[in-house]
Amino acid sequence: MTTPRIAVIFYTTYGTNHAIALAAAEAARAAGAEVRLRRVKETAPAEVVAGQDAWKAQLEKMADIPEVSQDDMEWAEGYFFSAPTRYGVVASQMRAFIDTLGGLWSKGKLADKPVTATTSAGNLHGGQETTLISLYTTFMHWGAILVPPGYTGQAVYDAGGNPYGYSAKAGEFDEVGRAAVAHQATRLVAFTRKLAG
């Protein structure tokens, strides 16, 4: 059995998507994948981050996690993305990283790789689905293979039934959410193994 290479790539402000990414990485490893956990570079001005204790503390908490690189994107055979929703689309920090990938995209280095995504928002109707769909639109431009959870397991239903990808209310990632993320990550590993094998 092959060992698929999965990059779990996340951006977080206060920690929800960090927790989601950790759960995804754990589940992917348990499913037999080699995993790189990578965070997206913070692009907000340092004085803005420093002015909010919780934001500053979260950034310090993740200091040992490498920032995602072009090499990580080329290395991976499958991708798990997690980032907050901002005004109905993904946080600008994640978008800024994605916008650096034109060189890899133009060489076909992002094509034919399975990808899935999760998000969070301040409330249950804060644009989670549009965020995930906008990410999937980008991934379709890459020629990636979308692996949403759909309605493929009870964990999806238990967590609210979002077929596009798990979505949390900010600050409320719990065991039900953890099970949904594990289901989604395990599904990604299975498809990556089939395609990379």
Side-chain angles (χ1 to χ4, degrees):
M1 184 165 36
T2 60
T3 302
R5 299 190 304 269
I6 302 293
V8 176
I9 301 157
F10 74 97
Y11 172 75
T12 199
T13 305
Y14 302 116
T16 302
N17 290 277
H18 179 204
I20 290 170
L22 290 172
E26 179 183 348
R29 287 187 186 105
E34 181 180 354
V35 176
R36 287 187 185 178
L37 176 67
R38 298 293 187 262
R39 64 184 173 95
V40 167
K41 181 179 180 179
E42 181 58 75
T43 59
E47 61 272 17
V48 172
V49 176
Q52 296 187 41
D53 291 341
W55 194 347
K56 181 182 175 185
Q58 179 60 39
L59 194 57
E60 291 169 354
K61 182 178 180 181
M62 303 180 301
D64 62 328
I65 300 173
E67 290 180 353
V68 63
S69 69
Q70 304 275 317
D71 175 68
D72 295 317
M73 296 299 291
E74 194 164 354
W75 168 86
E77 296 168 318
Y79 306 113
F80 188 108
F81 281 85
S82 189
T85 293
R86 297 285 186 266
Y87 303 110
V89 294
V90 76
S92 63
Q93 291 87 343
M94 179 64 80
R95 190 73 243 173
F97 168 68
I98 288 171
D99 288 347
T100 70
L101 300 175
L104 290 178
W105 165 79
S106 67
K107 295 174 186 172
K109 301 290 187 179
L110 306 174
D112 304 324
K113 296 182 179 184
V115 61
T116 198
T118 61
T119 190
S120 65
N123 62 66
L124 296 177
H125 301 286
Q128 294 101 320
E129 291 182 359
T130 55
T131 295
L132 295 172
I133 290 169
S134 70
L135 281 169
Y136 289 150
T137 299
T138 294
F139 303 154
M140 285 188 280
H141 278 252
W142 294 355
I145 310 299
L146 303 184
V147 186
Y151 294 107
T152 58
Q154 187 60 44
V156 177
Y157 290 95
D158 293 344
N162 188 336
Y164 307 102
Y166 173 72
S167 55
K169 186 172 179 185
E172 296 185 8
F173 183 56
D174 57 14
E175 289 307 311
V176 172
R178 184 176 294 280
V181 167
H183 175 76
Q184 192 168 340
T186 301
R187 183 170 159 81
L188 175 68
V189 171
F191 275 87
T192 305
R193 180 176 284 119
K194 288 177 183 179
L195 290 170

